[in-house]
Amino acid sequence: MRRLLVGVVTILTVAVLWAAGSIPARASGTARVPVGVRQIDVTLSFLPSGEGHHRSLERTLKRRASVREVVQAADRLTPAVIHGACPLFMRLGPDLTVVFKGGRHDRLTLAQARVQVMLGRRGDSGSSACFPITFYTADGRMQPLVGNSFVRLIGRLIGQAIS
């Protein structure tokens, strides 16, 4: 009976720590981005200008080293855990969309990440559970993630100061 009680307490403790974000939601070494990504399409959409026009910057990353670096950065993102309440304000900045594509000819979308970013190098976009990086898999599952280094990496690769 004592062993059973110790086992139950251990399981409950692990469950509470996992729910609080103290234990990663996935085992290290597992991939979030599916295997087979061959290119990454990046779109940075700016707010409408005074004339109401949306301006956007589009880049395609095809170099193996760049694709691998972005995939590894996405795999290192951690689940967003909200502690308390989020502030009741909106961030008004450009939207960053990163689309992971696979296949040789048909370029199927394997996953997608979206986050609202700040221009310049002093921002913290994607580092808050209240303003997370929203990650979508091809089957439609959505997961809020955090990691400002991902945003900064994409900015560096597309030649845009975003953070």
Side-chain angles (χ1 to χ4, degrees):
M1 185 66 159
R2 190 174 194 181
R3 285 184 184 167
L4 178 62
L5 183 60
V6 170
V8 169
V9 169
T10 302
I11 290 171
L12 289 174
T13 302
V14 169
V16 168
L17 289 173
W18 178 78
S22 299
I23 296 177
R26 62 185 181 88
S28 65
T30 59
R32 175 173 286 109
V33 178
V35 176
V37 174
R38 296 195 186 278
Q39 85 177 35
I40 297 172
D41 293 341
V42 178
T43 304
L44 187 62
S45 301
F46 296 90
L47 295 172
S49 64
E51 296 130 20
H53 299 296
H54 283 276
R55 190 175 60 113
S56 64
L57 172 75
E58 296 178 2
R59 297 285 187 268
T60 298
L61 306 175
K62 291 184 179 180
R63 280 189 32 237
R64 252 189 207 164
S66 297
V67 170
R68 183 177 31 240
E69 190 175 10
V70 173
V71 167
Q72 288 172 348
D75 285 342
R76 283 191 303 267
L77 293 171
T78 57
V81 178
I82 296 177
H83 300 283
C86 290
L88 295 174
F89 66 86
M90 292 176 44
R91 280 189 165 175
L92 296 176
D95 285 321
L96 176 66
T97 304
V98 180
V99 181
F100 300 87
K101 294 194 171 187
R104 291 181 184 239
H105 304 291
D106 50 7
R107 300 289 182 221
L108 297 172
T109 297
L110 301 174
Q112 178 176 308
R114 300 184 87 176
V115 63
Q116 202 167 43
V117 298
M118 298 176 69
L119 295 176
R121 302 196 191 291
R122 294 183 180 213
D124 60 354
S125 304
S127 64
S128 163
C130 294
F131 304 102
I133 298 167
T134 308
F135 188 85
Y136 300 90
T137 57
D139 63 3
R141 287 181 294 144
M142 185 272 292
Q143 184 178 19
L145 304 169
V146 292
N148 181 255
S149 60
F150 178 78
V151 173
R152 291 175 186 268
L153 169 65
I154 298 296
R156 179 176 58 80
L157 291 172
I158 66 171
Q160 194 70 28
I162 55 174
S163 57

